[in-house]
Amino acid sequence: MNQPSSPRTSASSSSKTFFGLRKLPARSAAWVTPLLLSLLMTFIVSLISTVRVAGFSLDLPRLWLSAWALSWVVAFPTLLLVLPVVRRITAAIVEQPR
């Protein structure tokens, strides 16, 4: 007969995977957050800017990916540098939960 899995085993295995991959350690959040934020923001903003300048043309994918790559190369290190400052400023102007 099937034995039920212990709560420790099932909770441990479900919290350690993301799409079948092991999760990164908590200390990775300091660079994963700006990585994901910079990827998504530059993806969207570069598309809007490229469409505005070049319009919808056959060159759009090439132009957009070129613009996206350049903007991401600038955005990711910038976020790594400014995010701690932004967090401190936010903490100074937003009431913290008790």
Side-chain angles (χ1 to χ4, degrees):
M1 291 189 95
N2 290 342
Q3 294 180 359
S5 61
S6 69
R8 182 173 181 246
T9 304
S10 61
S12 173
S13 64
S14 66
S15 67
K16 293 281 188 183
T17 62
F18 178 74
F19 291 109
L21 302 170
R22 285 184 48 86
K23 285 188 176 183
L24 296 170
R27 67 181 180 273
S28 302
W31 61 268
V32 170
T33 298
L35 173 70
L36 295 175
L37 183 60
S38 65
L39 285 170
L40 292 172
M41 289 299 296
T42 57
F43 189 80
I44 294 165
V45 172
S46 64
L47 174 63
I48 293 167
S49 297
T50 306
V51 168
R52 186 171 184 269
V53 170
F56 289 100
S57 69
L58 294 176
D59 279 343
L60 180 63
R62 180 186 58 80
L63 293 170
W64 174 33
L65 290 177
S66 174
W68 179 44
L70 177 61
S71 63
W72 181 79
V73 165
V74 172
F76 181 55
T78 301
L79 274 172
L80 289 174
L81 293 172
V82 301
L83 202 51
V85 175
V86 170
R87 287 184 176 134
R88 283 194 293 271
I89 294 169
T90 302
I93 60 176
V94 174
E95 187 175 319
Q96 300 300 308
R98 297 175 194 216

